[in-house]
Amino acid sequence: MASYADLHAAVQADPRSLPKIAALLKLIRTQKLRQSQVVATHGKTALQDPRRAARVLGDDVWAVYEQTLVAALDVDDAPLRDACQSALLKRFGGANPPSQRLERLEGLVAEAAGDWEAALQRYKGVLAQNPANSTALKREVCVVEAKGAGREAVIAALTKLTATCQSDRGAWQALAEAHAAAYRFSDAIFCYEELTLFDPTAQHYMRRLGELYYSWAASTTAKREPLYRKARVYFAKSLELLGPKHNPRAATGLLLTCSAIKLDVRGRKSDPDDELNAALGSLAASKLKAAYANVDPFLRECNEKLLAAHAPPYARLLPKKNEETVSATTVAVEKLVVDDIARS
Amino acid sequence: SRSTLCGLRRPALVVERPIAPFDQFLLRRQLHRRLDQFLRRHSLPPARLDSSRRARQRTMASVNELAYTKMLLHAQQYPHCAVDGFCLGARRGDGVEITDVVPGFHNGSLGGALETASAHAAAHAAAQNLYVCGYYCAAAHLRDEAPPKHAPSVAAALAAQSGGAPVVVLQISNRRLADPSDHALTCYGGSNCDQPRAVACAPSSAFVEAADAGVSVVDFDVHFDDAARDWRNPAVAEFLAA
């Protein structure tokens, strides 16, 4: 399965070849990448001669028209948008009841022009035909966001959407990111837990849960330790699900969490968790070293500095204290302890 | 006699009296205007009075073309996301001179990723005798002009990391991106990095040309998924040099 970079390079080498453009556009369609400039330029070349396009692309040509229309809206290319829209209307328009897919595209065109009322009318029409049409429901949420109503309105709309379409992963993820952007970590964690219910073997949900717990712990002032421990669990799970694949993000997260736990429990009597913490920390460090094994030497050096900062003794991670204050404090504390012992 | 030296035909009475202060003031204004015309005719930069030199010193940040191009290329590559990043530069008086930029995140930076990225950026800055002197951000929504709420705390952390050197927050204004004669940066400075300040930047459309030529920017989000991608982005400097 070729990657996007390879197909893109192939198309750039031969910009007039329709089969190569078709392969690139199909990959973008299936992987739902957002590369609007690329799609607009190459879709324009592909659809310049409609008959040749229909012959080479076959049944895919209408999907390419749809994809190019959306890309033209994104890059604000009015002639391309009009061409695609008229071709689609000629083929699919005029049906009764109107085609739901076409109504969604018409609504998108209205949204791009800033005509929110017309767009909402279209989506209401679609929902009147089919109240469970998730694309129309999603577009309604997008109109709320595009109008600039603010984050709370968007969160309310997304909550309503997830209550209706409970199996829509994109909606849950968007809601989670909106909560995280509003620093409501507990709600974001709830959304990602729903996502893990759908797909327990997805490492990025586990990693994101670890990151959310870590950020939550870092932003609160009390009761950090259980949050850091939960973050450690999720990071470790994401590393386990990754298997042999490298992911510096998950490894860095685990490393930072282990150091944070070590710093949090410092000064107490030795924690029974210490060995596990140290083992997980060294696992994270080894995964990071392996991930950076074959990269540019400067990047590897940056990684080494990070690993050195997080290796024991963790005193290097503490904020720098004034040496005199520290020694004076320790002397005072010792005196107090000695007095206490003498008195008792 | 004096009247013939001036080349003007004046009544003898006017030549004898000393120049009144009002006339002196007029003469200086006329002199500056004539000086400006002379310089403009010979395509030299205009001379400026003292007060504008003071205004230039009050500029908190000055951004060069490479940094501006990288920032806007990053913002253009992810037009639907809120992008972040760090500015590297040198101290210049009370302000900063930004010469390079390290793109940060487009998926929201959580879980200690921002701290790790700032550590890497600081290492890169130290290698070039610069320091991490700023944090740039762009809002996801077209009409959102306010800097993100976490920007002052990030700037405070950067200031602590750099040992008290001045740190700015640069906000890319989506509205001003449409105007090719204006750069799209707003600078926030001061102790909490929430007071607007002046920023000196040449408006350049190099980032549009770079995007059309296919130059893409690697940020920390991409780097942390694949360690082989280089977030120092030498390709942008190469494109600008070419």
Side-chain angles (χ1 to χ4, degrees):
Chain A
M1 183 65 185
S3 76
Y4 167 73
D6 300 333
L7 288 177
H8 191 205
V11 167
Q12 275 179 322
D14 188 7
R16 316 240 13 126
S17 147
L18 274 194
K20 291 202 180 116
I21 295 180
L24 174 66
L25 292 179
K26 183 159 186 172
L27 186 86
I28 293 179
R29 236 178 10 247
T30 37
Q31 290 191 3
K32 294 202 175 74
L33 302 173
R34 189 169 176 159
Q35 297 283 353
S36 304
Q37 188 60 57
V38 168
V39 171
T41 22
H42 298 301
K44 194 169 183 175
T45 336
L47 299 170
Q48 237 160 17
D49 187 0
R51 281 198 209 145
R52 184 164 164 244
R55 200 178 55 231
V56 173
L57 297 170
D59 269 337
D60 273 349
V61 67
W62 303 114
V64 170
Y65 268 116
E66 183 181 12
Q67 190 180 12
T68 314
L69 173 60
V70 177
L73 290 175
D74 231 355
V75 302
D76 202 17
D77 188 347
L80 182 61
R81 169 197 79 203
D82 292 333
C84 293
Q85 199 178 2
S86 54
L88 284 166
L89 273 172
K90 215 162 64 164
R91 172 68 178 82
F92 296 107
N96 197 2
S99 155
Q100 292 177 25
R101 209 158 151 182
L102 194 59
E103 286 293 288
R104 171 184 166 259
L105 291 173
E106 297 285 323
L108 272 174
V109 173
E111 273 184 57
D115 196 354
W116 314 123
E117 299 313 318
L120 284 174
Q121 285 292 90
R122 298 256 183 201
Y123 302 138
K124 268 207 202 38
V126 173
L127 288 172
Q129 280 180 51
N130 176 7
N133 189 332
S134 60
T135 42
L137 291 167
K138 277 196 247 196
R139 287 311 323 162
E140 281 187 337
V141 173
C142 292
V143 168
V144 167
E145 178 165 6
K147 264 191 191 165
R151 199 178 284 138
E152 299 307 316
V154 173
I155 288 181
L158 277 170
T159 315
K160 214 173 67 151
L161 179 64
T162 49
T164 334
C165 311
Q166 275 170 12
S167 62
D168 189 349
R169 298 183 197 185
W172 280 112
Q173 194 152 12
L175 182 55
E177 296 304 327
H179 276 305
Y183 309 109
R184 277 201 285 270
F185 294 111
S186 50
D187 298 330
I189 285 169
F190 173 79
C191 296
Y192 267 106
E193 281 171 352
E194 294 283 329
L195 285 169
T196 53
L197 287 176
F198 292 132
D199 194 357
T201 55
Q203 57 89 15
H204 52 288
Y205 295 151
M206 296 292 173
R207 171 177 56 77
R208 202 77 183 135
L209 275 166
E211 288 176 356
L212 286 167
Y213 271 111
Y214 182 93
S215 303
W216 194 6
S219 60
T220 50
T221 43
K223 292 262 183 212
R224 284 185 186 181
E225 207 188 308
L227 297 173
Y228 277 131
R229 289 192 191 279
K230 277 213 113 116
R232 192 177 67 180
V233 165
Y234 281 111
F235 276 126
K237 185 71 183 170
S238 83
L239 279 179
E240 179 193 329
L241 289 170
L242 273 167
K245 285 189 278 213
H246 293 309
N247 190 338
R249 200 158 187 160
T252 318
L254 185 57
L255 186 71
L256 263 60
T257 317
C258 291
S259 310
I261 293 177
K262 183 77 187 170
L263 284 173
D264 249 4
V265 306
R266 80 186 186 282
R268 290 191 223 152
K269 290 188 232 157
S270 69
D271 206 47
D273 197 40
D274 256 353
E275 278 184 28
L276 176 63
N277 206 34
L280 283 172
S282 53
L283 170 72
S286 64
K287 291 264 181 190
L288 262 181
K289 269 212 192 66
Y292 278 84
N294 297 326
V295 305
D296 199 75
F298 178 78
L299 301 178
R300 210 178 321 149
E301 245 180 69
C302 291
N303 187 40
E304 297 295 326
K305 283 200 192 109
L306 180 74
L307 290 174
H310 284 275
Y314 295 94
R316 259 172 283 179
L317 286 170
L318 291 173
K320 295 189 186 44
K321 285 206 185 80
N322 190 351
E323 294 307 321
E324 293 161 359
T325 327
V326 168
S327 50
T329 324
T330 37
V331 161
V333 164
E334 276 172 28
K335 193 161 169 305
L336 280 173
V337 167
V338 161
D339 288 342
D340 204 26
I341 294 175
R343 250 181 282 131
S344 61
Chain B
S1 72
R2 256 206 210 158
S3 56
T4 47
L5 271 174
C6 292
L8 298 166
R9 249 184 299 153
R10 287 165 181 251
L13 200 62
V14 173
V15 168
E16 296 316 340
R17 81 178 157 98
I19 301 178
F22 184 66
D23 293 337
Q24 216 167 26
F25 174 69
L26 268 179
L27 274 174
R28 208 182 296 140
R29 284 274 292 271
Q30 279 172 4
L31 187 64
H32 273 282
R33 215 171 293 144
R34 295 252 180 227
L35 185 59
D36 259 342
Q37 285 171 3
F38 175 82
L39 291 174
R40 228 170 275 144
R41 209 178 316 138
H42 296 266
S43 36
L44 291 165
R48 285 284 169 255
L49 297 173
D50 274 349
S51 57
S52 57
R53 212 183 302 143
R54 244 176 275 133
R56 243 182 293 137
Q57 273 172 7
R58 254 185 269 130
T59 303
M60 188 85 184
S62 80
V63 181
N64 80 340
E65 198 188 3
L66 174 67
Y68 186 70
T69 307
K70 269 198 203 173
M71 270 195 270
L72 263 68
L73 208 47
H74 189 212
Q76 192 184 22
Q77 205 170 317
Y78 303 104
H80 55 292
C81 306
V83 302
D84 269 342
F86 300 105
C87 308
L88 314 182
R91 184 172 188 166
R92 201 191 49 180
D94 220 359
V96 299
E97 195 174 323
I98 296 174
T99 47
D100 197 3
V101 135
V102 166
F105 299 90
H106 59 270
N107 269 333
S109 48
L110 283 179
L114 200 62
E115 284 123 39
T116 317
S118 75
H120 286 237
H124 184 43
Q128 299 172 58
N129 275 334
L130 305 170
Y131 75 103
V132 179
C133 61
Y135 171 71
Y136 78 85
C137 37
H141 200 281
L142 186 63
R143 280 174 207 98
D144 194 353
E145 299 289 327
K149 290 217 182 70
H150 61 266
S153 53
V154 172
L158 288 178
Q161 193 186 52
S162 71
V167 159
V168 299
V169 167
L170 286 177
Q171 163 89 349
I172 299 177
S173 156
N174 295 325
R175 185 180 41 89
R176 277 154 64 192
L177 274 175
D179 187 2
S181 66
D182 188 18
H183 64 84
L185 300 175
T186 321
C187 175
Y188 293 93
S191 57
N192 208 18
C193 276
D194 51 2
Q195 289 153 31
R197 288 273 191 270
V199 56
C201 175
S204 102
S205 318
F207 72 98
V208 178
E209 289 145 25
D212 287 337
V215 177
S216 77
V217 135
V218 171
D219 60 3
F220 274 108
D221 248 339
V222 168
H223 174 73
F224 282 148
D225 283 329
D226 179 9
R229 313 284 301 270
D230 194 351
W231 42 263
R232 291 173 295 172
N233 291 300
V236 181
E238 279 168 24
F239 176 82
L240 282 182

